[in-house]
Amino acid sequence: MMKFVETPNLPVCAGTVIIGEKYCNMLQNGVENWGINVLPMPDNPCIDARLSGHADLSVLHLGGNRLLLAPYLKGSSFSQQLGNMGFDLEFADIEQSAMYPNDAQMNVCIIGDKVIYNPKTVPDVMVKYLTFGDGAVQINNKQGYSRCSVCVVNDNAIITADEGIYRSAEAHGIDVLKIQPGDIDLPGFDYGFIGGASFKISDTKLAFTGRLDSHPDAERITEFASLHNVDIVYITDKQAFDIGGAIPIAEISK
């Protein structure tokens, strides 16, 4: 039986994830091998073509059945599918473009009752969506691609290569593993981000798009995850690559 993922980025047992359609040929079989359905997200024509399939630039899960979508998705078959699944959809009142920071206005990381984002990148019209429940602890930093930069391990543990996120998250009581940047593929760029190459598929499993063997902090990453009772799994045998993450939106009962 399907139910909504109550806490963004933290499924108990993922049943459906959103992945950019341009990455489905590489990842769909591997994800489905874990019993997880893939909902392909169409490319965003408003932003840089190299990032157009990055789900974390176009979709923000606010918890439960609440989804915030980029304007280009209005009236799409993708949004219709989500509506048919019972999701309450809203469309962000923003104008995206290929130039930073206009591509990163939705790039927010929600972790438990905390929200990590750059207030200079995320416009005021977006901030109103980040005060869910009893209010969220806002962790501000200078990294516009906050979601891309954060690998969520649990509701109080993350991995990042960004110094600013490391300092601000740690100051708010989050357990943070600071790693070296690089060794994550992102065609057209020097390297990608760890948050864009990873996503939780259950409360005890953290999936990476590919392997971390070449990463200088691979052993530390595995040990940190294990410290929090989370096992790392690899969807492919390629080197880990940045896809803008996958967004778990529905789960199945264990």
Side-chain angles (χ1 to χ4, degrees), residues 55-158:
D56 59 15
L57 298 179
S58 299
V59 177
L60 181 60
H61 183 215
L62 299 171
N65 73 331
R66 298 179 61 214
L67 282 171
L68 184 65
L69 306 181
Y72 82 98
L73 291 167
K74 197 167 189 176
S76 66
S77 59
F78 173 76
S79 62
Q80 290 171 5
Q81 283 180 279
L82 290 169
N84 291 339
M85 292 172 69
F87 283 96
D88 179 12
L89 306 179
E90 294 194 58
F91 296 87
D93 187 16
I94 58 175
E95 291 186 18
Q96 292 181 306
S97 72
M99 295 297 293
Y100 175 86
N102 292 334
D103 60 344
Q105 295 173 80
M106 297 182 67
N107 206 243
V108 172
C109 182
I110 299 173
I111 168 176
D113 63 351
K114 304 174 181 70
V115 181
I116 302 172
Y117 73 101
N118 181 346
K120 293 184 177 179
T121 302
V122 178
D124 290 342
V125 71
M126 284 285 299
V127 175
K128 67 180 182 180
Y129 294 105
L130 308 180
T131 56
F132 44 83
D134 295 327
V137 178
Q138 297 187 0
I139 301 176
N140 299 340
N141 68 93
K142 295 181 180 180
Q143 173 55 261
Y145 298 111
S146 293
R147 181 64 191 92
C148 296
S149 302
V150 174
C151 170
V152 176
V153 177
N154 65 23
D155 62 357
N156 203 51
I158 64 172

Side-chain angles (χ1 to χ4, degrees), residues 16-245:
T16 301
V17 299
I18 294 172
I19 293 178
E21 64 181 7
K22 68 168 54 177
Y23 302 111
C24 286
N25 63 329
M26 292 183 283
L27 294 170
Q28 187 158 354
N29 288 342
V31 171
E32 290 179 347
N33 284 341
W34 287 96
I36 301 169
N37 296 320
V38 173
L39 183 60
M41 182 200 77
D43 286 355
N44 187 334
C46 303
I47 63 177
D48 190 316
R50 295 172 294 180
L51 303 175
S52 60
H54 284 214
D56 59 15
L57 298 179
S58 299
V59 177
L60 181 60
H61 183 215
L62 299 171
N65 73 331
R66 298 179 61 214
L67 282 171
L68 184 65
L69 306 181
Y72 82 98
L73 291 167
K74 197 167 189 176
S76 66
S77 59
F78 173 76
S79 62
Q80 290 171 5
Q81 283 180 279
L82 290 169
N84 291 339
M85 292 172 69
F87 283 96
D88 179 12
L89 306 179
E90 294 194 58
F91 296 87
D93 187 16
I94 58 175
E95 291 186 18
Q96 292 181 306
S97 72
M99 295 297 293
Y100 175 86
N102 292 334
D103 60 344
Q105 295 173 80
M106 297 182 67
N107 206 243
V108 172
C109 182
I110 299 173
I111 168 176
D113 63 351
K114 304 174 181 70
V115 181
I116 302 172
Y117 73 101
N118 181 346
K120 293 184 177 179
T121 302
V122 178
D124 290 342
V125 71
M126 284 285 299
V127 175
K128 67 180 182 180
Y129 294 105
L130 308 180
T131 56
F132 44 83
D134 295 327
V137 178
Q138 297 187 0
I139 301 176
N140 299 340
N141 68 93
K142 295 181 180 180
Q143 173 55 261
Y145 298 111
S146 293
R147 181 64 191 92
C148 296
S149 302
V150 174
C151 170
V152 176
V153 177
N154 65 23
D155 62 357
N156 203 51
I158 64 172
I159 303 169
T160 187
D162 187 87
E163 179 67 26
I165 290 177
Y166 165 69
R167 285 188 275 104
S168 59
E170 192 172 56
H172 282 82
I174 296 176
D175 191 6
V176 187
L177 175 65
K178 171 71 164 55
I179 61 169
Q180 299 179 56
D183 292 283
I184 294 172
D185 286 339
L186 180 55
F189 297 90
D190 291 340
Y191 56 84
F193 296 109
I194 190 168
S198 61
F199 53 100
K200 290 297 288 290
I201 60 172
S202 77
D203 52 355
T204 60
K205 288 184 172 56
L206 169 62
F208 279 86
T209 55
R211 303 192 66 83
L212 296 170
D213 299 350
S214 65
H215 198 288
D217 291 311
E219 187 173 341
R220 294 178 63 230
I221 291 170
T222 301
E223 289 175 352
F224 183 79
S226 180
L227 179 66
H228 291 280
N229 300 311
V230 172
D231 296 322
I232 288 175
V233 301
Y234 298 120
I235 302 300
T236 75
D237 284 326
K238 301 176 182 289
Q239 178 173 315
F241 53 100
D242 187 345
I243 63 166

Side-chain angles (χ1 to χ4, degrees), residues 3 11-14 201-204 251-254:
K3 59 182 180 179
V12 176
C13 186
I201 60 172
S202 77
D203 52 355
T204 60
E251 56 188 4
I252 54 178
S253 300
K254 279 190 170 183

